[in-house]
Amino acid sequence: MNNTTTDQIIGIRKNVLKKEFSRMNDRQQEAVFSVNGPLLILAGAGSGKTTVLVNRIANIIRYGNAYKSENISNDLSEEDLSAANRYLSAGEPLPFQVKCHFAAEPCRPWQILAITFTNKAAGELKNRLNSMLGEEGDDIWASTFHSTCARMLRRDGDKLGYSNHFTIYDTDDSRRMMKECQKSLGIDDKILSFKSILSAISRAKDSMIQPKEYLQQAGSDNRLGLIAQAYKLYQAKLKEADAMDFDDLICNTVCLLQQHPDVLEYYQNKFRYIMVDEYQDTNHAQYLLVKLLAQKSTNLCVVGDDDQSIYKFRGATIENILNFERTFPNAKVIRLEQNYRSTKNILNAANAVIENNTERKGKTLWTDNPAGEKIGVHTAFSEQDEADYIAKKILESVAVGRKFADHAILYRMNSQSNILEKIFIKSGIPYRIIGGLRFYERKEIRDMIAYLSVINNPNDEIRLRRIINQPKRSIGDKTIAQATEIAATLGESVFDIIKNADQYEPLKRTAPKLLQFAATMQELIDAANDENTSLNELYHLILDKTDYIGSLKASENDDAQDRIDNINELASNLIKYEEDNGEEASLSGFLEEVSLLTDIDNFDANSDSVVMMTIHSAKGLEFPVVFLPGFEDGIFPGIQAIYNPAEIEEERRLAYVAITRAKEELFIVNAESRMIFGSTSRNKPSRFIEEIPEELVARSRTREWKKPAPGMALPTSAFEARVVTTESARSFGPSNLIHSEPPKVQFQVGDGVMHKTFGTGLILSVSPMGNDTLLEIAFEKAGTKKLMANFARLQKI
DNA sequence: GCACCTATCTTTTTT
DNA sequence: AGATAGGTGC
């Protein structure tokens, strides 16, 4: 190092680093290299924030703080420097050694914590880290708030009085639990609903208010007093059941860290770098959690976009991001304003809409992308016509070479998917619905999960109740109530009481049934404890012993087969879980994974079908062509938001998210009249449409009155059958593409065909597209339709 | 204890 | 319109 000065070395090192991350723009690089101290990245939609996060983590692991540090490694040799210079000038690969020698205070993967909101975001982050860093990437804690907390609580939850295999209650479990509480406190649901109590409790937990404090704060307020009682009882019951709800995961972790300095210190030392994605969606408790963990290192990087804050209803406070600079002194702020996703027209429309909000940090996205098509704004007659229009547009678009999967339909509320679904079935457009009735929310799945939960944790009273008479065992509410009461008086668990049912007078009559149930469960518990029983075997043992499927078949329910399919689907999930986790696989592990899983996590872009979901679910995703139906005042913005300026702003942010999902084409649709709650209403076009400059818009409307959806007038049994197939297929799983094994029949113009719904018809035109064929068919009764050959289930005649 | 009927409510959005 | 919870009658 004789001839080279320190400054020169630092210069070379900076250039090497710059080159290593040269795929990033200047702002992004700045974010990647700003490693130490608090950092707020205001990342607009489509500005490449995940790329920045991934590269920032890679930089931290490989180089640490080298870009900003003035220190030079002692290991650095002349040889290293000339290698670096060759790398800079001739593009020769940089030896690993040199990378190491250039690093300053690098960090190990397991010292990094990256928190996201959805499993999907976490999964994507993990994937990209893995492809950038290889196996090293696996050791990074990249997960959601909830699973991060669950992990910490499994380790140290005993300090709060929970076991390490505690159950995670979802919304439905919480509801059942709260109904119990209402009953025992004599609270009439009409006067104080379980819903409002639960949301009050949720807010309390967000603010880290314990039942005791809640009661104090309630003062003489009757309503709040009742809520406080319910809160107290609810928490007591949860603890007794060794269970936590979603909010508990967060606030119990905060409690754990606040009350146990040793635990706090452990994690503060462990995590040298912390990153939080979607920071605008954090609530107060999550903010506290992050603050606690990052207090010591202060190496906290949060990424967010105040314009995309759409979870206020869930307790997210936009103040977290607006106040970041105040809370974390010396915070650096970096704005990422270049959008790589959308065309100029789409981006300008989004900018124009969001500008009408007053509560903003303020930023304007720009792009180098071409102007692209104008934004289609279409006015339809009815919601049917709206769906018809979208179907037609998609078929046109596929006809000129796009894939079905390039199209997404994003709506305000789940119920909007119904008509679309019907029209798509009719037109033979393959689609998938994300959200709505979720796989894990189906009765039969919940029942199976409940069995597994009780086996895992017999104290789980709520789930024990769920299955005690499912399938029917002639154990009624009264018996259960009595058993519960006895359990409460004796301070034992309900399961223990049932096991000895014959010893209690009030249970005498049903004792044999109870004993039999208890014996079955005990057998299953023993099987679960046996090392040699795999989860899959256990699952089939449950099905065997309970004859769940048998009773389903006996019920003669129309959807019995669907339900059986779902039950088998859960089995394949179990097998997959076991395969993925090998030795680590455990019943409680599976249950945890399941309870934190949502549908969007299973969104698989590989199958070629149109995607439908709510705008909320679509956050973080992008699609070449986006349709936004229901842009009407009263739908979007929703009726409840119209007279509330703050809520209008939230709705507008939602509109902003919706618009910015589109890469190339955007169609906004409204209907002049539509059915809501079974009655027809006429809505004005959404105010958000008016906020888009007219020069960006191409308007159209359905002119002549079309007979409302001819296909719908044919309620044949075949049509109904299709709907049922669709229902089961939309759930989730390895292939939740709506498909039937495509009959690969070749069609020609002039062929006569038979369609299940439309009857007989004649093929007018055949246009191959991708790996499918668009057919135009004149049906004898149903008129002329365009159908995709592979999905239409046509038979030649 | 169970099946069937009716009344009521829903539609915000999710971990 | 459709689902679901709760009540009534067997």
Side-chain angles (χ1 to χ4, degrees), chain A residues 451 455 517-530 533 537-546 587:
Chain A
Y451 271 103
I455 291 167
F517 172 73
T520 310
M521 290 312 292
Q522 194 55 53
E523 263 181 84
L524 292 169
I525 291 170
D526 292 343
N529 290 334
D530 181 351
T533 318
E537 282 163 355
L538 176 65
Y539 186 70
H540 283 99
L541 210 56
I542 297 173
L543 291 177
D544 244 29
K545 298 265 174 210
T546 62
L587 182 52

Side-chain angles (χ1 to χ4, degrees), chain A residues 279 282-284 286-287 317-324 327:
Chain A
Y279 191 67
T282 48
N283 62 33
H284 184 69
Q286 288 164 333
Y287 155 80
T317 104
I318 197 166
E319 279 76 25
N320 281 350
I321 204 163
L322 297 174
N323 293 338
F324 186 80
T327 339

Side-chain angles (χ1 to χ4, degrees), chain A residues 470-514:
Chain A
Q470 199 62 246
K472 295 261 183 301
R473 296 186 180 92
S474 301
I475 301 174
D477 288 345
K478 216 169 176 185
T479 311
I480 300 170
Q482 242 144 6
T484 316
E485 209 184 306
I486 298 171
T489 355
L490 297 182
E492 285 180 50
S493 77
V494 176
F495 188 63
D496 286 334
I497 301 298
I498 292 174
K499 263 198 283 195
N500 302 305
D502 51 345
Q503 292 174 20
Y504 305 99
E505 189 58 35
L507 300 178
K508 267 253 159 68
R509 237 187 24 208
T510 34
K513 308 248 162 62
L514 290 171

